[in-house]
Amino acid sequence: MKRNVIVGQSGGPTAAINSSLAGVYRTAKDRGANKVYGMLHGIQGLLQERYLDLSEYITTELDAELLKRTPAAFLGSCRYKLPEIHEDKAVYEKIFSILDKLDIEAFIYIGGNDSMDTIKKLSDYAIVTGHPTRFIGCPKTIDNDLALTDHTPGYGSAAKYIGTSVKEIIRDSFCLEYSKGLVSIVEIMGRNAGWLTGAAALAKGEDCEGPDLIYLPEISFDLHVFSDKVKELLSKKPSVVVAVSEGIRTADGTYVCELGSSIDFVDAFGHKQLSGTASYLASFIAGEIGCKTRAIELSSLQRSASHAASRVDILEAYQVGGAAVKAADEGDSGKMVVLQRLSDDPYQCGTEVKDVHKIANDEKLVPREWVNEEGTGVTDEFVAYVRPLIQGDVSPVMVDGIPRHLFRPYNL
Amino acid sequence: MKRNVIVGQSGGPTAAINSSLAGVYRTAKDRGANKVYGMLHGIQGLLQERYLDLSEYITTELDAELLKRTPAAFLGSCRYKLPEIHEDKAVYEKIFSILDKLDIEAFIYIGGNDSMDTIKKLSDYAIVTGHPTRFIGCPKTIDNDLALTDHTPGYGSAAKYIGTSVKEIIRDSFCLEYSKGLVSIVEIMGRNAGWLTGAAALAKGEDCEGPDLIYLPEISFDLHVFSDKVKELLSKKPSVVVAVSEGIRTADGTYVCELGSSIDFVDAFGHKQLSGTASYLASFIAGEIGCKTRAIELSSLQRSASHAASRVDILEAYQVGGAAVKAADEGDSGKMVVLQRLSDDPYQCGTEVKDVHKIANDEKLVPREWVNEEGTGVTDEFVAYVRPLIQGDVSPVMVDGIPRHLFRPYNL
């Protein structure tokens, strides 16, 4: 590389997205890039000419290690959808004039489905206008719903946190006895794809039965069948633990969380904002069965708990960042780096690049055959798929009892 | 010791209570106890003659290490309040007949305020009837609200988890930008005492500003003063993070969570069951300011997250268990082991025994001078008090990517 690289982060926070950023920075520098800029708050910030020079923040090897262990997006993120090129050319002209001003050779965007849409549009515009900047996407999402890649960086750490926390909740739930039993409902992220919710099954092992019921958003949910199932389980054991996706819907497509509340907020991509599924189900079961219930939302901790990150995930996120820079340096554009699993046992995984047009806006769901027939749990194949992704730990750099992160002032 | 020991666990789960159990077992065996029984579900289970022989479960040194790393109560817990002796002598006769049958020399009860009430009553009954069994309490509560002891085992691990999680939530909250800002409200346990909520201040360091506002239950809460504070902060920064106790009340004594909902369940000790403080405040602020808000309940994870336990806490819990057995063996009864801090820097702490009559049912609150004048944060003295208690880590025994616990079937 001879000129400059710019990198941005987009979409929801994860525990691994900054490891990809560290990988982009290291490989760009190793390959001779002059400057490595970071967009502040992704393409939305770039449009306001907000960016920084990463070498001012990553000054030592220790800084790079801290960055890998810092959750959320170090550069800030956005949920900004670029208009179609024919709808608003001015936006594209503005972005490319900024790229020209910064002498950008490669544009790396770390994100999920919506971010790959950005890479697709920018690379299309570059082709149409004959612009030399190369655009490469770097996958990131705890949701694991990107097509063509075996899995996405960020998913393994979230899955490890969910498996660990659900196991601790199960231990907690057997502590006190209630005359009619206790039902704990754990709400897990994942609007349409059940990859995260299915990871609750990781709690199961020689020392733990795992959650009793797991409901993914791919399978339609029936309140009364659910209630009967819980009743049956309570006749056999004093505590029942249920993992539910925030996005479970009844047969007519109504979100379970909408049954009880009137929250109906829609974000810029047309996604409904969900919450309250576990609360609703806890009240419903308490009413139906009269047992003690509790609702637990794993909430933002499942995406930002870098203190419990997976080593495989953090290392793969780093590799994927490096591979994105390498692809751009070798002339690729309009591509996303994907992870390709070479072997399950022993687990081996490499990177490739694929055409971003085949990826953008396409959600990868949990295959039906990885869910049991009743739709109340995941199969051994599901667990065999996710198990390698949660292996190993990343020791936090503990300072005075609390993990240290890499710091950037927010008011840039 | 020549005869047998029985040990029980009572009250809410913690990450350290099983380390005390391991300490009781080890010291009882080292001092020559014949059998060490564990009551299942505390005194309530004992009344039903439910108990086990701990040596059937702790068969190796590895089992003991796993037990120290297993959250919640290995033996199961209860919230059972013994009647006054004059109210129901039959209950006491039953308990003592079981103790005689099991040839019990020492009765160790690991728990909080309510559990120390049990030790008090049983030791009083033994004195009145001239019964030789000795009764010793072993402090345990994440709430840190026991009198006479510097702090309680369980608190340090919960504080470490809270500090770490709040810091990760703060990172997460600066990721996306919202036109009118983002207010994140984190709800933390602690009905009357603000020790846990104050631990949110541990998130503050060279790399993090910490939470912007911290509201303890000891200080009365004013909704409109709160809203003005948040407005002022949002004029200076894009994301405001607030830590609130589940137990905050307005000046007239109404719980904030009661303002929005009608949940008003009272447990056996007359404690109201609280939840929904953060949800209520998030809706309130969204209505008042029009900004984006979110509510995060740390929920049961803050008491059962043994994967992020404090080494100081787990070791002290173990020592306290051992000290309880030693006290009984040396002839004490009607006493609780307390932790006595000898020095802050370097941190040194020892154990003593104190009369349980001076402890039972007395709640230790956060002193007013450890809260800032406005009532929106804790002082450096508070942080200096808690900081030593979160030092060091206890590496979980990871098996296939998930922490291993010591297992006991629930249907005993």
PDB file of all heavy atoms in Angstrom, chain A residues 158 162-163 166 185-191 193-201 211 214-215 217 242-248 277-278 296-299 302:
ATOM      1  N   ALA A 158     -20.457 -13.492  22.321  1.00  0.00           N
ATOM      2  CA  ALA A 158     -21.824 -13.353  22.836  1.00  0.00           C
ATOM      3  C   ALA A 158     -22.356 -14.719  23.245  1.00  0.00           C
ATOM      4  O   ALA A 158     -22.987 -14.868  24.300  1.00  0.00           O
ATOM      5  CB  ALA A 158     -22.716 -12.704  21.783  1.00  0.00           C
ATOM      6  N   ILE A 162     -23.607 -15.857  26.898  1.00  0.00           N
ATOM      7  CA  ILE A 162     -24.976 -16.361  27.089  1.00  0.00           C
ATOM      8  C   ILE A 162     -24.947 -17.745  27.738  1.00  0.00           C
ATOM      9  O   ILE A 162     -25.655 -18.001  28.718  1.00  0.00           O
ATOM     10  CB  ILE A 162     -25.729 -16.384  25.731  1.00  0.00           C
ATOM     11  CG1 ILE A 162     -26.027 -14.946  25.285  1.00  0.00           C
ATOM     12  CG2 ILE A 162     -27.022 -17.203  25.817  1.00  0.00           C
ATOM     13  CD1 ILE A 162     -26.455 -14.807  23.834  1.00  0.00           C
ATOM     14  N   GLY A 163     -24.093 -18.640  27.226  1.00  0.00           N
ATOM     15  CA  GLY A 163     -23.999 -19.987  27.810  1.00  0.00           C
ATOM     16  C   GLY A 163     -23.597 -19.936  29.274  1.00  0.00           C
ATOM     17  O   GLY A 163     -24.188 -20.608  30.132  1.00  0.00           O
ATOM     18  N   VAL A 166     -26.487 -18.142  31.423  1.00  0.00           N
ATOM     19  CA  VAL A 166     -27.671 -19.005  31.578  1.00  0.00           C
ATOM     20  C   VAL A 166     -27.351 -20.116  32.572  1.00  0.00           C
ATOM     21  O   VAL A 166     -28.184 -20.463  33.419  1.00  0.00           O
ATOM     22  CB  VAL A 166     -28.144 -19.548  30.215  1.00  0.00           C
ATOM     23  CG1 VAL A 166     -29.155 -20.677  30.385  1.00  0.00           C
ATOM     24  CG2 VAL A 166     -28.751 -18.421  29.380  1.00  0.00           C
ATOM     25  N   ILE A 185     -37.555 -16.868  33.022  1.00  0.00           N
ATOM     26  CA  ILE A 185     -37.575 -16.671  31.568  1.00  0.00           C
ATOM     27  C   ILE A 185     -36.449 -15.712  31.207  1.00  0.00           C
ATOM     28  O   ILE A 185     -36.412 -14.575  31.690  1.00  0.00           O
ATOM     29  CB  ILE A 185     -38.934 -16.113  31.118  1.00  0.00           C
ATOM     30  CG1 ILE A 185     -40.033 -16.951  31.791  1.00  0.00           C
ATOM     31  CG2 ILE A 185     -39.019 -16.075  29.596  1.00  0.00           C
ATOM     32  CD1 ILE A 185     -41.217 -17.276  31.034  1.00  0.00           C
ATOM     33  N   VAL A 186     -35.525 -16.192  30.404  1.00  0.00           N
ATOM     34  CA  VAL A 186     -34.348 -15.407  30.036  1.00  0.00           C
ATOM     35  C   VAL A 186     -34.521 -14.920  28.601  1.00  0.00           C
ATOM     36  O   VAL A 186     -34.670 -15.727  27.682  1.00  0.00           O
ATOM     37  CB  VAL A 186     -33.062 -16.254  30.143  1.00  0.00           C
ATOM     38  CG1 VAL A 186     -31.830 -15.384  29.914  1.00  0.00           C
ATOM     39  CG2 VAL A 186     -32.980 -16.947  31.503  1.00  0.00           C
ATOM     40  N   GLU A 187     -34.513 -13.607  28.443  1.00  0.00           N
ATOM     41  CA  GLU A 187     -34.721 -13.028  27.102  1.00  0.00           C
ATOM     42  C   GLU A 187     -33.379 -12.716  26.457  1.00  0.00           C
ATOM     43  O   GLU A 187     -32.526 -12.056  27.050  1.00  0.00           O
ATOM     44  CB  GLU A 187     -35.556 -11.748  27.226  1.00  0.00           C
ATOM     45  CG  GLU A 187     -35.807 -11.074  25.896  1.00  0.00           C
ATOM     46  CD  GLU A 187     -36.796  -9.923  26.025  1.00  0.00           C
ATOM     47  OE1 GLU A 187     -37.678  -9.972  26.913  1.00  0.00           O
ATOM     48  OE2 GLU A 187     -36.675  -8.963  25.245  1.00  0.00           O
ATOM     49  N   ILE A 188     -33.227 -13.183  25.228  1.00  0.00           N
ATOM     50  CA  ILE A 188     -31.940 -13.102  24.533  1.00  0.00           C
ATOM     51  C   ILE A 188     -32.133 -12.369  23.216  1.00  0.00           C
ATOM     52  O   ILE A 188     -33.193 -12.444  22.587  1.00  0.00           O
ATOM     53  CB  ILE A 188     -31.387 -14.536  24.344  1.00  0.00           C
ATOM     54  CG1 ILE A 188     -31.138 -15.162  25.733  1.00  0.00           C
ATOM     55  CG2 ILE A 188     -30.116 -14.540  23.500  1.00  0.00           C
ATOM     56  CD1 ILE A 188     -30.787 -16.622  25.720  1.00  0.00           C
ATOM     57  N   MET A 189     -31.106 -11.632  22.788  1.00  0.00           N
ATOM     58  CA  MET A 189     -31.210 -10.841  21.563  1.00  0.00           C
ATOM     59  C   MET A 189     -31.315 -11.722  20.316  1.00  0.00           C
ATOM     60  O   MET A 189     -31.006 -12.908  20.355  1.00  0.00           O
ATOM     61  CB  MET A 189     -29.998  -9.920  21.440  1.00  0.00           C
ATOM     62  CG  MET A 189     -30.036  -8.736  22.386  1.00  0.00           C
ATOM     63  SD  MET A 189     -28.551  -7.701  22.160  1.00  0.00           S
ATOM     64  CE  MET A 189     -28.989  -6.276  23.171  1.00  0.00           C
ATOM     65  N   GLY A 190     -31.674 -11.085  19.201  1.00  0.00           N
ATOM     66  CA  GLY A 190     -31.805 -11.800  17.932  1.00  0.00           C
ATOM     67  C   GLY A 190     -33.219 -11.656  17.444  1.00  0.00           C
ATOM     68  O   GLY A 190     -34.099 -12.410  17.833  1.00  0.00           O
ATOM     69  N   ARG A 191     -33.420 -10.680  16.574  1.00  0.00           N
ATOM     70  CA  ARG A 191     -34.768 -10.310  16.130  1.00  0.00           C
ATOM     71  C   ARG A 191     -35.391 -11.417  15.285  1.00  0.00           C
ATOM     72  O   ARG A 191     -36.510 -11.850  15.532  1.00  0.00           O
ATOM     73  CB  ARG A 191     -34.628  -9.031  15.303  1.00  0.00           C
ATOM     74  CG  ARG A 191     -35.868  -8.290  15.022  1.00  0.00           C
ATOM     75  CD  ARG A 191     -35.549  -7.073  14.181  1.00  0.00           C
ATOM     76  NE  ARG A 191     -35.048  -5.973  14.981  1.00  0.00           N
ATOM     77  CZ  ARG A 191     -33.807  -5.512  14.953  1.00  0.00           C
ATOM     78  NH1 ARG A 191     -32.896  -6.077  14.170  1.00  0.00           N
ATOM     79  NH2 ARG A 191     -33.446  -4.486  15.692  1.00  0.00           N
ATOM     80  N   ALA A 193     -33.160 -14.110  13.791  1.00  0.00           N
ATOM     81  CA  ALA A 193     -32.310 -15.300  13.762  1.00  0.00           C
ATOM     82  C   ALA A 193     -32.061 -15.778  15.184  1.00  0.00           C
ATOM     83  O   ALA A 193     -31.801 -14.983  16.082  1.00  0.00           O
ATOM     84  CB  ALA A 193     -30.979 -14.974  13.081  1.00  0.00           C
ATOM     85  N   GLY A 194     -32.151 -17.089  15.388  1.00  0.00           N
ATOM     86  CA  GLY A 194     -32.071 -17.657  16.733  1.00  0.00           C
ATOM     87  C   GLY A 194     -30.689 -18.109  17.155  1.00  0.00           C
ATOM     88  O   GLY A 194     -30.554 -18.855  18.128  1.00  0.00           O
ATOM     89  N   TRP A 195     -29.650 -17.645  16.462  1.00  0.00           N
ATOM     90  CA  TRP A 195     -28.294 -18.119  16.795  1.00  0.00           C
ATOM     91  C   TRP A 195     -27.927 -17.826  18.242  1.00  0.00           C
ATOM     92  O   TRP A 195     -27.324 -18.658  18.928  1.00  0.00           O
ATOM     93  CB  TRP A 195     -27.265 -17.478  15.853  1.00  0.00           C
ATOM     94  CG  TRP A 195     -27.474 -17.836  14.417  1.00  0.00           C
ATOM     95  CD1 TRP A 195     -27.973 -17.026  13.430  1.00  0.00           C
ATOM     96  CD2 TRP A 195     -27.227 -19.109  13.800  1.00  0.00           C
ATOM     97  NE1 TRP A 195     -28.050 -17.716  12.243  1.00  0.00           N
ATOM     98  CE2 TRP A 195     -27.588 -18.993  12.436  1.00  0.00           C
ATOM     99  CE3 TRP A 195     -26.731 -20.330  14.267  1.00  0.00           C
ATOM    100  CZ2 TRP A 195     -27.474 -20.048  11.538  1.00  0.00           C
ATOM    101  CZ3 TRP A 195     -26.609 -21.386  13.375  1.00  0.00           C
ATOM    102  CH2 TRP A 195     -26.977 -21.244  12.029  1.00  0.00           C
ATOM    103  N   LEU A 196     -28.245 -16.631  18.720  1.00  0.00           N
ATOM    104  CA  LEU A 196     -27.890 -16.269  20.099  1.00  0.00           C
ATOM    105  C   LEU A 196     -28.726 -17.048  21.104  1.00  0.00           C
ATOM    106  O   LEU A 196     -28.206 -17.559  22.096  1.00  0.00           O
ATOM    107  CB  LEU A 196     -28.086 -14.757  20.322  1.00  0.00           C
ATOM    108  CG  LEU A 196     -27.082 -13.850  19.612  1.00  0.00           C
ATOM    109  CD1 LEU A 196     -27.535 -12.402  19.690  1.00  0.00           C
ATOM    110  CD2 LEU A 196     -25.691 -14.009  20.208  1.00  0.00           C
ATOM    111  N   THR A 197     -30.026 -17.122  20.857  1.00  0.00           N
ATOM    112  CA  THR A 197     -30.904 -17.827  21.794  1.00  0.00           C
ATOM    113  C   THR A 197     -30.506 -19.303  21.872  1.00  0.00           C
ATOM    114  O   THR A 197     -30.448 -19.889  22.957  1.00  0.00           O
ATOM    115  CB  THR A 197     -32.366 -17.679  21.371  1.00  0.00           C
ATOM    116  OG1 THR A 197     -32.652 -16.283  21.221  1.00  0.00           O
ATOM    117  CG2 THR A 197     -33.303 -18.263  22.414  1.00  0.00           C
ATOM    118  N   GLY A 198     -30.197 -19.890  20.731  1.00  0.00           N
ATOM    119  CA  GLY A 198     -29.779 -21.294  20.713  1.00  0.00           C
ATOM    120  C   GLY A 198     -28.527 -21.535  21.541  1.00  0.00           C
ATOM    121  O   GLY A 198     -28.322 -22.625  22.088  1.00  0.00           O
ATOM    122  N   ALA A 199     -27.680 -20.503  21.644  1.00  0.00           N
ATOM    123  CA  ALA A 199     -26.429 -20.635  22.410  1.00  0.00           C
ATOM    124  C   ALA A 199     -26.690 -20.874  23.893  1.00  0.00           C
ATOM    125  O   ALA A 199     -25.789 -21.294  24.630  1.00  0.00           O
ATOM    126  CB  ALA A 199     -25.550 -19.401  22.212  1.00  0.00           C
ATOM    127  N   ALA A 200     -27.914 -20.633  24.353  1.00  0.00           N
ATOM    128  CA  ALA A 200     -28.260 -20.955  25.745  1.00  0.00           C
ATOM    129  C   ALA A 200     -28.033 -22.443  26.019  1.00  0.00           C
ATOM    130  O   ALA A 200     -27.753 -22.850  27.152  1.00  0.00           O
ATOM    131  CB  ALA A 200     -29.704 -20.574  26.040  1.00  0.00           C
ATOM    132  N   ALA A 201     -28.120 -23.268  24.967  1.00  0.00           N
ATOM    133  CA  ALA A 201     -27.917 -24.720  25.114  1.00  0.00           C
ATOM    134  C   ALA A 201     -26.496 -25.051  25.559  1.00  0.00           C
ATOM    135  O   ALA A 201     -26.240 -26.154  26.055  1.00  0.00           O
ATOM    136  CB  ALA A 201     -28.229 -25.433  23.805  1.00  0.00           C
ATOM    137  N   PRO A 211     -30.941 -25.190  29.894  1.00  0.00           N
ATOM    138  CA  PRO A 211     -32.305 -24.645  29.945  1.00  0.00           C
ATOM    139  C   PRO A 211     -33.298 -25.725  29.530  1.00  0.00           C
ATOM    140  O   PRO A 211     -32.981 -26.593  28.714  1.00  0.00           O
ATOM    141  CB  PRO A 211     -32.277 -23.502  28.934  1.00  0.00           C
ATOM    142  CG  PRO A 211     -31.079 -23.718  28.089  1.00  0.00           C
ATOM    143  CD  PRO A 211     -30.109 -24.540  28.873  1.00  0.00           C
ATOM    144  N   ILE A 214     -36.115 -23.852  24.871  1.00  0.00           N
ATOM    145  CA  ILE A 214     -35.448 -22.793  24.113  1.00  0.00           C
ATOM    146  C   ILE A 214     -36.339 -22.456  22.920  1.00  0.00           C
ATOM    147  O   ILE A 214     -36.675 -23.340  22.126  1.00  0.00           O
ATOM    148  CB  ILE A 214     -34.060 -23.261  23.600  1.00  0.00           C
ATOM    149  CG1 ILE A 214     -33.152 -23.662  24.779  1.00  0.00           C
ATOM    150  CG2 ILE A 214     -33.396 -22.187  22.750  1.00  0.00           C
ATOM    151  CD1 ILE A 214     -31.785 -24.200  24.355  1.00  0.00           C
ATOM    152  N   TYR A 215     -36.728 -21.197  22.818  1.00  0.00           N
ATOM    153  CA  TYR A 215     -37.623 -20.785  21.727  1.00  0.00           C
ATOM    154  C   TYR A 215     -36.936 -19.792  20.790  1.00  0.00           C
ATOM    155  O   TYR A 215     -36.614 -18.675  21.190  1.00  0.00           O
ATOM    156  CB  TYR A 215     -38.908 -20.180  22.294  1.00  0.00           C
ATOM    157  CG  TYR A 215     -39.762 -21.212  22.991  1.00  0.00           C
ATOM    158  CD1 TYR A 215     -39.799 -21.292  24.382  1.00  0.00           C
ATOM    159  CD2 TYR A 215     -40.512 -22.123  22.255  1.00  0.00           C
ATOM    160  CE1 TYR A 215     -40.576 -22.262  25.019  1.00  0.00           C
ATOM    161  CE2 TYR A 215     -41.291 -23.092  22.883  1.00  0.00           C
ATOM    162  CZ  TYR A 215     -41.326 -23.152  24.262  1.00  0.00           C
ATOM    163  OH  TYR A 215     -42.080 -24.110  24.886  1.00  0.00           O
ATOM    164  N   PRO A 217     -36.752 -17.459  17.193  1.00  0.00           N
ATOM    165  CA  PRO A 217     -37.734 -16.658  16.445  1.00  0.00           C
ATOM    166  C   PRO A 217     -38.120 -17.291  15.111  1.00  0.00           C
ATOM    167  O   PRO A 217     -39.121 -16.890  14.519  1.00  0.00           O
ATOM    168  CB  PRO A 217     -36.992 -15.330  16.222  1.00  0.00           C
ATOM    169  CG  PRO A 217     -35.541 -15.676  16.289  1.00  0.00           C
ATOM    170  CD  PRO A 217     -35.437 -16.821  17.248  1.00  0.00           C
ATOM    171  N   VAL A 242     -36.293 -21.091  30.996  1.00  0.00           N
ATOM    172  CA  VAL A 242     -36.685 -20.990  29.592  1.00  0.00           C
ATOM    173  C   VAL A 242     -35.862 -19.885  28.935  1.00  0.00           C
ATOM    174  O   VAL A 242     -35.768 -18.780  29.470  1.00  0.00           O
ATOM    175  CB  VAL A 242     -38.190 -20.637  29.478  1.00  0.00           C
ATOM    176  CG1 VAL A 242     -38.635 -20.634  28.025  1.00  0.00           C
ATOM    177  CG2 VAL A 242     -39.043 -21.581  30.316  1.00  0.00           C
ATOM    178  N   ALA A 243     -35.262 -20.185  27.780  1.00  0.00           N
ATOM    179  CA  ALA A 243     -34.561 -19.155  27.005  1.00  0.00           C
ATOM    180  C   ALA A 243     -35.440 -18.770  25.834  1.00  0.00           C
ATOM    181  O   ALA A 243     -35.885 -19.643  25.081  1.00  0.00           O
ATOM    182  CB  ALA A 243     -33.223 -19.700  26.504  1.00  0.00           C
ATOM    183  N   VAL A 244     -35.736 -17.484  25.700  1.00  0.00           N
ATOM    184  CA  VAL A 244     -36.563 -17.038  24.572  1.00  0.00           C
ATOM    185  C   VAL A 244     -35.867 -15.928  23.805  1.00  0.00           C
ATOM    186  O   VAL A 244     -35.205 -15.062  24.384  1.00  0.00           O
ATOM    187  CB  VAL A 244     -37.964 -16.509  25.010  1.00  0.00           C
ATOM    188  CG1 VAL A 244     -38.771 -17.593  25.688  1.00  0.00           C
ATOM    189  CG2 VAL A 244     -37.849 -15.286  25.914  1.00  0.00           C
ATOM    190  N   SER A 245     -36.043 -15.952  22.506  1.00  0.00           N
ATOM    191  CA  SER A 245     -35.578 -14.840  21.685  1.00  0.00           C
ATOM    192  C   SER A 245     -36.496 -13.647  21.881  1.00  0.00           C
ATOM    193  O   SER A 245     -37.708 -13.808  22.049  1.00  0.00           O
ATOM    194  CB  SER A 245     -35.598 -15.250  20.217  1.00  0.00           C
ATOM    195  OG  SER A 245     -35.677 -14.115  19.392  1.00  0.00           O
ATOM    196  N   GLU A 246     -35.937 -12.451  21.833  1.00  0.00           N
ATOM    197  CA  GLU A 246     -36.750 -11.226  21.897  1.00  0.00           C
ATOM    198  C   GLU A 246     -37.737 -11.159  20.733  1.00  0.00           C
ATOM    199  O   GLU A 246     -38.727 -10.453  20.791  1.00  0.00           O
ATOM    200  CB  GLU A 246     -35.844  -9.986  21.849  1.00  0.00           C
ATOM    201  CG  GLU A 246     -35.029  -9.890  20.560  1.00  0.00           C
ATOM    202  CD  GLU A 246     -34.121  -8.664  20.456  1.00  0.00           C
ATOM    203  OE1 GLU A 246     -34.165  -7.787  21.335  1.00  0.00           O
ATOM    204  OE2 GLU A 246     -33.346  -8.605  19.477  1.00  0.00           O
ATOM    205  N   GLY A 247     -37.465 -11.944  19.685  1.00  0.00           N
ATOM    206  CA  GLY A 247     -38.252 -11.813  18.452  1.00  0.00           C
ATOM    207  C   GLY A 247     -39.274 -12.907  18.223  1.00  0.00           C
ATOM    208  O   GLY A 247     -39.802 -13.016  17.115  1.00  0.00           O
ATOM    209  N   ILE A 248     -39.600 -13.704  19.253  1.00  0.00           N
ATOM    210  CA  ILE A 248     -40.581 -14.770  19.001  1.00  0.00           C
ATOM    211  C   ILE A 248     -41.951 -14.159  18.679  1.00  0.00           C
ATOM    212  O   ILE A 248     -42.352 -13.152  19.249  1.00  0.00           O
ATOM    213  CB  ILE A 248     -40.697 -15.783  20.173  1.00  0.00           C
ATOM    214  CG1 ILE A 248     -40.930 -15.082  21.514  1.00  0.00           C
ATOM    215  CG2 ILE A 248     -39.470 -16.684  20.231  1.00  0.00           C
ATOM    216  CD1 ILE A 248     -41.260 -16.054  22.651  1.00  0.00           C
ATOM    217  N   THR A 277     -40.421  -9.274  26.068  1.00  0.00           N
ATOM    218  CA  THR A 277     -40.941 -10.621  25.793  1.00  0.00           C
ATOM    219  C   THR A 277     -40.931 -11.463  27.069  1.00  0.00           C
ATOM    220  O   THR A 277     -41.934 -12.108  27.408  1.00  0.00           O
ATOM    221  CB  THR A 277     -40.089 -11.299  24.696  1.00  0.00           C
ATOM    222  OG1 THR A 277     -40.102 -10.465  23.543  1.00  0.00           O
ATOM    223  CG2 THR A 277     -40.625 -12.675  24.332  1.00  0.00           C
ATOM    224  N   ALA A 278     -39.796 -11.451  27.768  1.00  0.00           N
ATOM    225  CA  ALA A 278     -39.690 -12.254  28.995  1.00  0.00           C
ATOM    226  C   ALA A 278     -40.676 -11.764  30.051  1.00  0.00           C
ATOM    227  O   ALA A 278     -41.325 -12.562  30.729  1.00  0.00           O
ATOM    228  CB  ALA A 278     -38.261 -12.210  29.542  1.00  0.00           C
ATOM    229  N   ILE A 296     -35.699 -12.257  33.104  1.00  0.00           N
ATOM    230  CA  ILE A 296     -34.321 -11.752  33.083  1.00  0.00           C
ATOM    231  C   ILE A 296     -33.960 -11.407  31.650  1.00  0.00           C
ATOM    232  O   ILE A 296     -33.982 -12.276  30.773  1.00  0.00           O
ATOM    233  CB  ILE A 296     -33.353 -12.830  33.623  1.00  0.00           C
ATOM    234  CG1 ILE A 296     -33.693 -13.160  35.079  1.00  0.00           C
ATOM    235  CG2 ILE A 296     -31.897 -12.361  33.491  1.00  0.00           C
ATOM    236  CD1 ILE A 296     -33.032 -14.409  35.601  1.00  0.00           C
ATOM    237  N   GLU A 297     -33.669 -10.135  31.389  1.00  0.00           N
ATOM    238  CA  GLU A 297     -33.201  -9.747  30.055  1.00  0.00           C
ATOM    239  C   GLU A 297     -31.683  -9.678  30.087  1.00  0.00           C
ATOM    240  O   GLU A 297     -31.118  -8.929  30.887  1.00  0.00           O
ATOM    241  CB  GLU A 297     -33.727  -8.353  29.693  1.00  0.00           C
ATOM    242  CG  GLU A 297     -35.181  -8.340  29.296  1.00  0.00           C
ATOM    243  CD  GLU A 297     -35.631  -6.935  28.874  1.00  0.00           C
ATOM    244  OE1 GLU A 297     -34.873  -6.227  28.192  1.00  0.00           O
ATOM    245  OE2 GLU A 297     -36.757  -6.553  29.256  1.00  0.00           O
ATOM    246  N   LEU A 298     -31.024 -10.431  29.220  1.00  0.00           N
ATOM    247  CA  LEU A 298     -29.555 -10.345  29.233  1.00  0.00           C
ATOM    248  C   LEU A 298     -29.099  -8.984  28.727  1.00  0.00           C
ATOM    249  O   LEU A 298     -27.999  -8.545  29.014  1.00  0.00           O
ATOM    250  CB  LEU A 298     -28.924 -11.486  28.429  1.00  0.00           C
ATOM    251  CG  LEU A 298     -29.112 -12.874  29.036  1.00  0.00           C
ATOM    252  CD1 LEU A 298     -28.245 -13.885  28.301  1.00  0.00           C
ATOM    253  CD2 LEU A 298     -28.763 -12.918  30.519  1.00  0.00           C
ATOM    254  N   SER A 299     -29.972  -8.311  27.955  1.00  0.00           N
ATOM    255  CA  SER A 299     -29.769  -6.905  27.645  1.00  0.00           C
ATOM    256  C   SER A 299     -28.432  -6.643  26.951  1.00  0.00           C
ATOM    257  O   SER A 299     -27.844  -7.544  26.349  1.00  0.00           O
ATOM    258  CB  SER A 299     -29.896  -6.147  28.969  1.00  0.00           C
ATOM    259  OG  SER A 299     -29.811  -4.780  28.781  1.00  0.00           O
ATOM    260  N   GLN A 302     -24.931  -8.866  26.829  1.00  0.00           N
ATOM    261  CA  GLN A 302     -24.580  -9.999  25.967  1.00  0.00           C
ATOM    262  C   GLN A 302     -23.765  -9.576  24.758  1.00  0.00           C
ATOM    263  O   GLN A 302     -23.080 -10.385  24.155  1.00  0.00           O
ATOM    264  CB  GLN A 302     -25.834 -10.778  25.540  1.00  0.00           C
ATOM    265  CG  GLN A 302     -26.777 -10.016  24.658  1.00  0.00           C
ATOM    266  CD  GLN A 302     -28.193 -10.573  24.677  1.00  0.00           C
ATOM    267  OE1 GLN A 302     -28.468 -11.619  24.122  1.00  0.00           O
ATOM    268  NE2 GLN A 302     -29.096  -9.866  25.319  1.00  0.00           N
TER     269      GLN A 302
END
